[in-house]
Amino acid sequence: MSANAVRQQAIHEVTNRPLPDSSAVQPLSEIWAADVFSLAVMEESLSKNAFKAMKKTVQTGAPLDSATADVVAAAMKDWALKKGVKFFSHIFYPMTNITAEKHDGFIITSPEGNAITEFTGSLLIKGEPDGSSFPNGSLRMTNAARGYTAWDPTSPAYVMNTPNGATLMIPSVFFSWTGEALDKKIPLLRSNAAMNDAAQRVLTLMGETEIETLNSSCGAEQEYFLVDAHFAHNRPDLLLAGRTLFGAAPPKGQEFDDHYFGAIPERVQVFMQAFEDKLFRLGIPAKTHHNEVAPGQFEIAPYFEAANVAADHQQLMMTIMKTTAKEHGFICLLHEKPFAGVNGSGKHVNWSVGNSTQGNLLDPGTTPHENLNFLLFCGAVIRGAHLFGPLLRAVIASAANDHRLGANEAPPAILSVYLGDQLEAVFSDIKEGNIATSSDGGVMDLGLSQILPFTRDPGDRNRTSPFAFTGNRFEFRAVGSSQSVSGPLVAMNTMLADSLTWIADKLEAQLETGVSQLEAVAAVLKELMELHSAVIFGGDGYSSEWHTAAVEERGLRNIPTTADALPALVADDVVALFERTGVLSEVELASRYEVYAEQYILSIGVEAKLTAELATTVLYPATVEYLSDLTETAAAAASVGVELDTGPAKTIAAEANGLLGAVSDLNAALSVEDFASTEEHMQHCAGPIRARMDAVRAHADRLETMVADERWPLPKYREMLFIK
Ligand code: ADP
Ligand code: MG
């Protein structure tokens, strides 16, 4: 088939595609959490005592005894078998950004040859996949490569349905024989516990007496692209790298702003509904969906949940998005920058902390006392973001996200905090010492009571900020669309734990001097602001003035690439932070650094090799075929006495040579093998390799606009973005 025929065929298939059958519309009440082994299910199937123990574990993270585990396992098995389940799997979250599973049957055979089913507490609790096949950084050095999974009872088990079967999935942690965390869940659980410990101290000093366990919460807004499978399957770059390595910008892009919040195409709406029904069955509270800025780009945002559950649900959601898209003839792209020149995709991680007794501590509340708690917690976040900006940059670093950060569409690679005018004014008052106004010898909370009717910052909340306060939570906007939310949540919880500890120490010292609670809070927050207000920024994060001022006047760091960002994971201050909070040991951090660096190097390597290969074997041949068309046409014209202008052919020939030249430069960079350190290797990827890939692409994209459309082999941007 000629190049043209492949693209024409794809267009034909897409435009004549029937809508999937959508007859089976089910009411929410029938499907909500239907496949979840929830507390409600447990309440019905467990004894009173077992249920009580289980509920306590879910709510406070308290360990579960083995007798209860046996009871829960038996109930879980019965529940699952009734749903047609034959296999179970511990599902876990290795340091690579994916999920991992190992399926096991419930079945064992009796001596008589009958099949019986068995599932004990110990099977539920512990699995033993072979850890050696998962990247584990320096932890691989321990000769016990084995990894173990262990049930996380705080995240509900569920059943995953496939067309002819179902599997019981058990959310789990994954650790080494020596007890080191090999996954993304253990640090999240530990960071939550560290945050709780520190928060308890602060709240106790604030005179609270009844304080339930504090938990962090997360609501992630997920952006994604849908491309019809007919186009995607003819784009090896989309299939292997998740993004287009070539592609000229179409004459019409997103500049009309006609896509954002526009009517959702019917075929996409059908996909969304099917996808959301699956989420509902799994108890994932899909809440909003809409078109995004770019053509072909959409967003889904579930309602927020406890961070650990939200993180599991987020991974599950990404998996289900991809499989459901396939059923609907789409490829779902979670890559941060699938199309050059078109907005990329992020994942806004909304985060807060709270409990049932004090409520959401990042919500200002309605009494002066609640306001004080709020200001302390908010101040703690500000301190954390200022001290550990490079850590926050490191946990969102990836080859793909580098394309977004720093481009004028996504938050900059400089970590600053946006508070909104009102709250920024309050903190500036605090810094000036204006919150505790003395009158008639008494201390009044004038400044503070003024923030009581705190209005939520409306609609447009400075989209240029990477880290923004949005009324009752912080929104970490620089997170990439394909990333696990765990890394950002761990970093935020840990820096908060550390800052709350700092605050507790300072508060304690103040209170010992006999001052009032208000004076103590005012003094601590004043000191905090004097040290850390430089991180607060309400202006335009995209502007070049900010890029200069942030670095030169504020002392913040601009960290453009993953190669620059990842070393922060093993920097002295970060190691000390994680060690003193007990969230990750130095060895665990080092292994993370190694794994993420390796991922970065590997993914740039794949892209670079694919760039060279596609340029050489697909684009160059198409170009020279077209050149020979031109030569033949010129000869034919000459035979009737007409001299055709040879300009176009010459330009194309020169670009074709340029393309090959750029490919050989790229191959030369790829052949470099001796690196003194991982960091040097990453810099080689971020520098020469990336630049040379761009050079290859520049030639190819110019050729795309010169070679006859019918000769061009790869589906074009206009087709992938606009034809649904
Ligand atoms: P927006 O105005 O940005 O659309 P939404 O109210 O839709 O805001 O919230 C966006 C996300 O923030 C949702 O996932 C929502 O559940 C989440 N969210 C709201 N409150 C909190 C909170 N206290 N903690 C964490 N996430 C929250
Ligand atoms: Mg959004």
Side-chain angles (χ1 to χ4, degrees):
M1 221 189 277
S2 78
N4 175 44
V6 171
R7 273 177 46 223
Q8 290 311 317
Q9 173 84 15
I11 293 172
H12 176 83
E13 297 286 346
V14 177
T15 45
N16 290 289
R17 183 193 281 285
L19 279 180
D21 177 23
S22 54
S23 53
V25 177
Q26 288 171 298
L28 186 60
S29 58
E30 273 171 35
I31 57 174
W32 174 251
D35 295 331
V36 185
F37 191 65
S38 62
L39 275 178
V41 173
M42 284 185 255
E43 187 161 25
E44 279 177 18
S45 55
L46 297 180
S47 69
K48 255 207 165 78
N49 279 341
F51 176 69
K52 231 174 104 186
M54 194 54 206
K55 192 171 163 190
K56 186 164 171 229
T57 295
V58 170
Q59 287 172 350
T60 68
L64 201 68
D65 62 281
S66 64
T68 310
D70 273 332
V71 177
V72 174
M76 202 186 271
K77 185 193 80 175
D78 289 345
W79 172 80
L81 288 177
K82 276 192 212 127
K83 293 184 156 294
V85 167
K86 298 185 190 78
F87 285 79
F88 66 91
S89 173
H90 287 94
I91 177 164
F92 55 100
Y93 312 89
M95 288 184 256
T96 49
N97 242 355
I98 50 155
T99 55
E101 323 173 347
K102 184 191 180 204
H103 296 206
D104 253 311
F106 281 127
I107 191 169
I108 52 171
T109 51
S110 68
E112 296 76 37
N114 293 326
I116 56 171
T117 57
E118 187 187 71
F119 193 54
T120 59
S122 63
L123 279 176
L124 165 63
I125 289 176
K126 204 161 181 180
E128 215 176 281
D130 183 6
S132 58
S133 44
F134 293 97
N136 51 14
S138 48
L139 294 175
R140 189 183 294 141
M141 296 319 200
T142 57
N143 48 13
R146 243 182 159 60
Y148 296 85
T149 56
W151 175 40
D152 166 20
T154 62
S155 183
Y158 55 91
V159 165
M160 265 305 248
N161 290 299
T162 38
N164 63 348
T167 307
L168 171 67
M169 305 299 286
I170 303 160
S172 301
V173 295
F174 182 50
F175 52 94
S176 74
W177 182 72
T178 42
E180 274 105 7
L182 295 176
D183 71 348
K184 297 196 171 233
K185 188 189 263 289
I186 293 174
L188 180 52
L189 294 170
R190 288 185 192 152
S191 71
N192 204 66
M195 182 279 295
N196 173 50
D197 288 347
Q200 296 274 346
R201 264 190 78 199
V202 171
L203 291 172
T204 304
L205 288 167
M206 290 302 289
E208 303 283 353
T209 46
E210 201 191 323
I211 313 167
E212 281 293 341
T213 311
L214 286 104
N215 209 340
S216 49
S217 57
C218 164
E221 304 162 54
Q222 171 78 54
E223 294 177 338
Y224 61 98
F225 279 86
L226 291 177
V227 173
D228 191 276
H230 288 286
F231 298 129
H233 288 155
N234 288 302
R235 296 279 322 202
D237 47 357
L238 274 190
L239 296 182
L240 293 189
R243 74 173 178 112
T244 56
L245 297 170
F246 300 99
K252 178 182 172 177
Q254 65 191 45
E255 49 283 282
F256 289 98
D257 281 334
D258 51 0
H259 190 69
Y260 194 51
F261 282 158
I264 297 170
E266 189 179 13
R267 200 181 144 203
V268 174
Q269 177 84 28
V270 170
F271 153 78
M272 284 176 170
Q273 281 155 192
F275 157 53
E276 282 157 358
D277 274 3
K278 292 187 192 179
L279 297 184
F280 291 143
R281 294 193 69 87
L282 293 165
I284 302 177
K287 181 98 168 72
T288 57
H289 60 225
H290 58 78
N291 286 352
E292 261 300 328
V293 175
Q297 191 187 28
F298 308 93
E299 177 180 303
I300 173 158
Y303 198 68
F304 69 97
E305 301 178 277
N308 177 37
V309 176
D312 288 2
H313 279 172
Q314 234 286 315
Q315 292 296 115
L316 190 51
M317 194 175 94
M318 290 195 285
T319 306
I320 295 175
M321 284 174 92
K322 288 188 183 162
T323 52
T324 312
K326 274 198 186 141
E327 288 164 17
H328 289 249
F330 289 120
I331 295 293
C332 171
L333 302 175
L334 293 177
H335 193 284
E336 281 73 9
K337 191 74 177 177
F339 302 99
V342 172
N343 258 29
S345 299
K347 176 141 60 197
H348 294 178
V349 176
N350 293 272
W351 163 80
S352 182
V353 299
N355 62 8
S356 57
T357 40
Q358 277 70 38
N360 175 358
L361 285 149
L362 289 173
D363 196 324
T366 50
T367 67
H369 184 72
E370 284 173 350
N371 268 333
L372 284 186
N373 287 346
F374 160 71
L375 288 174
L376 285 173
F377 277 73
C378 197
V381 176
I382 293 168
R383 176 184 179 272
H386 185 230
L387 285 180
F388 300 106
L391 169 66
L392 291 172
R393 175 63 183 89
V395 296
I396 54 164
S398 72
N401 209 20
D402 282 358
H403 291 283
R404 277 176 74 235
L405 301 177
N408 273 3
E409 53 158 289
I414 305 168
L415 210 289
S416 66
V417 176
Y418 173 73
L419 293 178
D421 292 344
Q422 197 180 2
L423 190 57
E424 191 175 327
V426 170
F427 272 104
S428 136
D429 276 353
I430 290 172
K431 189 178 170 192
E432 302 307 318
N434 294 339
I435 73 161
T437 311
S438 185
S439 108
D440 303 334
V443 175
M444 288 180 40
D445 57 343
L446 275 184
L448 284 175
S449 25
Q450 277 157 7
I451 69 163
L452 270 181
F454 192 91
T455 45
R456 296 261 164 100
D457 203 12
D460 203 318
R461 329 180 188 94
N462 197 334
R463 307 312 282 179
T464 70
S465 174
F467 200 86
F469 179 71
T470 50
N472 60 356
R473 61 188 184 272
F474 278 89
E475 187 172 333
F476 192 5
R477 301 216 185 94
V479 183
S481 48
S482 70
Q483 294 176 321
S484 156
V485 296
S486 298
L489 290 169
V490 168
M492 291 190 286
N493 284 342
T494 305
M495 73 185 201
L496 180 59
D498 183 64
S499 289
L500 289 173
T501 300
W502 183 89
I503 286 176
D505 290 345
K506 295 276 173 187
L507 265 184
E508 231 162 46
Q510 281 289 332
L511 290 169
E512 270 164 22
T513 68
V515 299
S516 73
Q517 192 180 61
L518 177 64
E519 284 169 315
V521 170
V524 173
L525 284 175
K526 185 173 191 303
E527 182 180 352
L528 187 148
M529 287 307 290
E530 279 161 358
L531 292 169
H532 304 296
S533 65
V535 78
I536 299 169
F537 177 63
D540 178 1
Y542 297 164
S543 69
S544 57
E545 296 82 58
W546 171 239
H547 280 75
T548 315
V551 176
E552 287 172 11
E553 290 157 30
R554 308 269 196 123
L556 304 179
R557 287 189 53 205
N558 185 1
I559 307 174
T561 72
T562 297
D564 302 316
L566 286 181
L569 292 177
V570 287
D572 290 345
D573 61 332
V574 169
V575 172
L577 166 75
F578 279 102
E579 293 223 314
R580 69 177 172 263
T581 47
V583 175
L584 287 168
S585 68
E586 184 164 10
V587 176
E588 288 171 325
L589 278 168
S591 73
R592 274 155 186 78
Y593 171 61
E594 261 183 62
V595 169
Y596 302 154
E598 190 174 45
Q599 298 265 303
Y600 174 71
I601 291 165
L602 284 176
S603 57
I604 298 226
V606 167
E607 288 191 347
K609 284 182 214 145
L610 194 57
T611 297
E613 185 184 318
L614 290 178
T616 312
T617 63
V618 178
L619 302 181
Y620 182 77
T623 303
V624 291
E625 278 171 22
Y626 178 55
L627 263 182
S628 92
D629 291 352
L630 287 181
T631 329
E632 278 170 31
T633 312
S639 72
V640 296
V642 179
E643 280 299 309
L644 275 191
D645 182 357
T646 54
K650 281 184 182 149
T651 316
I652 291 171
E655 282 293 357
N657 284 339
L659 182 74
L660 289 190
V663 168
S664 80
D665 287 349
L666 176 58
N667 282 331
L670 273 171
S671 68
V672 178
E673 268 169 3
D674 289 333
F675 299 101
S677 64
T678 306
E679 210 176 326
E680 197 183 294
H681 196 173
M682 285 199 293
Q683 289 294 351
H684 182 68
C685 295
I689 293 194
R690 267 249 145 108
R692 290 172 193 207
M693 284 169 63
D694 287 348
V696 174
R697 180 178 186 149
H699 290 289
D701 289 358
R702 281 194 294 272
L703 283 169
E704 187 182 324
T705 65
M706 293 188 269
V707 170
D709 187 53
E710 64 158 27
R711 280 268 180 219
W712 196 253
L714 296 177
K716 295 188 168 181
Y717 270 31
R718 61 168 190 255
E719 292 154 356
M720 293 185 283
L721 290 170
F722 290 102
I723 305 179
K724 289 273 168 309

